Amino acid sequence: MTARTLSRGASVDSSDPLLERILIDNISKGTQSSERNLESHQLNGMLDQVSSPVKREVASRSSFSMKSWNNNVEIDVESEKLEKDREKPVRSKRVVTIQHRSLLAGLAYCVSSCSMILVNKYVLSSYHFNAGISLMLYQNFVAVVVVSTLSFLGVITTEPLTWRLIKVWLPVNVIFVGMLITSMFSLKCINVAMVTVLKNVTNVIIAVGDMYLFNKHHDNRVWAALFLMIISAISGGLTDLSFHAIGYTWQFINCFLTASYSLTLRRVMDTAKHVTNSGELNEFSMVLLNNTLSLPLGMLLVFVFNEVNYLSTTPLLRLPTFWLVTTLSGFLGLAISFASMWFLHQTGATTYSLVGSLNKIPLSVAGILIFKVPTSLENSASIFFGLLAGVLFATAKIRERSQS
């Protein structure tokens, strides 16, 4: 509306100066001719008499155009104020909508991540299921089916699995499979609270790897938080009433593999982008790639660890409730990937890392209460101390990113 009003005002004002310049030229020419000829002077007087009302008309027209332009400007200012007043509730609604989406995404991420660990613990401990590799294999199979279906329906886009892409991604996929399997083995023997505390050792390994592999120096606050994580892991293990040496061994191997996966994934992602058709590799493609490549490797490990004989004799495979729970764990594993991507897109890496650290607190409490883990005051203090160290580590990393 403002642009249209100004264009109309400009068209009116531009004609008045042009008319005035023509009349002034005619008057000056008449004045010069009056000195030479009386008749031309009389004619000049007639032109003055004629031009004066014309000039008055021009002045009146210009003043009228200025008034109309001022009126139009005032109307435009008022209309802009009205438009701004109308936009205020629209903007507030947008802000509320964004906040609701961020809150919903964060809630989905927390619920899915906590539920995944608790359901896996329930399958392995409560059902006494002794085939962790087979459970991982079935969960990855569910993920492949769901992602492939969504890609076929056009809901998401994924890169085709070419041989060049598989060769680049296969080494990091081996680490990925080892990370999942060792997580299953450790979760079967250790309670959920201690698993969350011992997982902090992964941050220590990643920090050291960043320093030696990528020449990245960390803040003193980061190293202080990492030191607190080590102290909490040691004190938690010493005061753990249900200490299991084999479970702790599997968990430390899991920390090493998880850190290795995180450190090598950066380079592999950059290399894999150059061998894709689109030149990009989104999160959905990585989920499909990891889970698809894990199927043949998982089937090989099922035979190596002799889980086939156990699966052929266990009565659990004939229970519908067992299949329901294991299928639910497969959907939850995929839900973590989608929810984490959604939450990261709605907020950012800073909020994502902080919520991930805070999420371990209710997970540890739920694990102790649901599975009735025997604990002591010293062990509870060590667990709380380790969870607090995780929060301090997240805040220290946030400050480090902001300063850099």
Side-chain angles (χ1 to χ4, degrees):
M1 180 178 180
T2 305
R4 293 178 181 177
T5 306
L6 288 177
S7 64
R8 286 200 300 268
S11 64
V12 172
D13 294 338
S14 62
S15 63
D16 292 342
L18 179 62
L19 182 59
E20 287 182 355
R21 284 196 298 270
I22 295 173
L23 292 174
I24 291 171
D25 291 338
N26 292 331
I27 293 170
S28 62
K29 290 178 182 179
T31 305
Q32 292 176 357
S33 63
S34 63
E35 296 177 352
R36 298 175 182 177
N37 195 342
L38 179 61
E39 292 179 358
S40 62
H41 176 72
Q42 292 177 354
L43 181 60
N44 186 34
M46 293 175 64
L47 287 173
D48 289 336
Q49 292 177 357
V50 175
S51 62
S52 57
V54 173
K55 292 172 69 175
R56 285 195 298 269
E57 184 180 357
V58 170
S60 62
R61 285 180 59 189
S62 61
S63 61
F64 174 76
S65 63
M66 291 296 293
K67 290 180 180 179
S68 62
W69 185 80
N70 291 330
N71 292 332
N72 289 331
V73 171
E74 291 178 357
I75 293 173
D76 291 339
V77 172
E78 292 179 356
S79 62
E80 288 180 357
K81 290 181 179 179
L82 292 175
E83 289 179 357
K84 288 181 180 179
D85 292 337
R86 291 176 182 175
E87 289 178 356
K88 285 182 180 179
V90 176
R91 291 178 181 176
S92 61
K93 288 180 181 179
R94 289 178 182 175
V95 173
V96 172
T97 303
I98 293 174
Q99 290 178 351
H100 282 311
R101 289 179 180 177
S102 301
L103 182 61
L104 185 61
L107 183 63
Y109 167 67
C110 294
V111 171
S112 60
S113 59
C114 290
S115 300
M116 177 66 181
I117 297 177
L118 294 175
V119 169
N120 281 342
K121 179 65 176 178
Y122 181 76
V123 172
L124 296 170
S125 298
S126 299
Y127 278 103
H128 301 287
F129 188 63
N130 295 324
I133 302 176
S134 300
L135 178 60
M136 180 272 300
L137 184 65
Y138 181 71
Q139 291 174 351
N140 292 358
F141 174 74
V142 172
V144 170
V145 172
V146 174
V147 174
S148 300
T149 303
L150 293 177
S151 178
F152 177 77
L153 296 176
V155 179
I156 60 176
T157 57
T158 56
E159 288 291 330
L161 302 182
T162 60
W163 179 243
R164 293 177 60 192
L165 182 59
I166 291 174
K167 287 193 298 183
V168 171
W169 199 265
L170 189 59
V172 74
N173 184 258
V174 174
I175 303 175
F176 173 75
V177 173
M179 180 181 67
L180 295 181
I181 293 175
T182 53
S183 177
M184 293 288 185
F185 290 164
S186 63
L187 193 59
K188 179 177 174 59
C189 304
I190 310 175
N191 64 77
V192 176
M194 282 307 304
V195 167
T196 56
V197 173
L198 294 175
K199 280 183 177 294
N200 289 332
V201 179
T202 304
N203 297 324
V204 180
I205 301 175
I206 292 175
V208 176
D210 282 332
M211 186 176 61
Y212 284 100
L213 296 177
F214 302 102
N215 295 324
K216 185 178 181 181
H217 299 283
H218 299 284
D219 191 2
N220 292 330
R221 298 186 185 92
V222 175
W223 289 114
L226 293 174
F227 178 74
L228 294 177
M229 289 179 180
I230 297 175
I231 297 299
S232 64
I234 296 174
S235 61
L238 294 176
T239 57
D240 189 6
L241 298 180
S242 58
F243 179 83
H244 198 286
I246 298 178
Y248 272 72
T249 303
W250 282 119
Q251 182 55 49
F252 283 119
I253 296 175
N254 175 261
C255 292
F256 178 77
L257 291 175
T258 304
S260 302
Y261 179 75
S262 177
L263 293 172
T264 56
L265 186 62
R266 304 175 187 177
R267 295 182 176 179
V268 174
M269 284 176 61
D270 294 334
T271 307
K273 290 179 181 179
H274 298 290
V275 297
T276 57
N277 295 333
S278 62
E280 296 292 336
L281 191 66
N282 57 20
E283 291 82 358
F284 301 109
S285 299
M286 286 189 287
V287 170
L288 180 61
L289 189 61
N290 263 332
N291 288 278
T292 302
L293 294 181
S294 67
L295 296 181
L297 184 58
M299 293 178 65
L300 177 63
L301 293 175
V302 166
F303 287 97
V304 171
F305 283 82
N306 198 20
E307 289 187 356
V308 178
N309 293 333
Y310 172 76
L311 294 175
S312 61
T313 57
T314 179
L316 293 175
L317 299 182
R318 294 188 290 270
L319 295 178
T321 54
F322 176 78
W323 283 106
L324 180 63
V325 174
T326 52
T327 305
L328 176 62
S329 66
F331 278 101
L332 287 174
L334 186 59
I336 294 176
S337 301
F338 285 102
S340 60
M341 287 185 287
W342 182 28
F343 184 45
L344 188 62
H345 177 71
Q346 291 293 329
T347 55
T350 300
T351 306
Y352 177 81
S353 60
L354 184 59
V355 172
S357 299
L358 294 173
N359 191 36
K360 295 180 180 180
I361 298 176
L363 175 63
S364 301
V365 176
I368 293 174
L369 296 178
I370 292 175
F371 299 102
K372 299 178 181 179
V373 178
T375 183
S376 61
L377 181 61
E378 294 81 3
N379 185 249
S380 299
S382 300
I383 293 172
F384 178 76
F385 190 68
L387 298 175
L388 181 61
V391 176
L392 294 177
F393 174 76
T395 55
K397 291 292 290 182
I398 291 171
R399 292 180 180 178
E400 187 181 55
R401 291 171 186 170
S402 62
Q403 291 176 357
S404 60

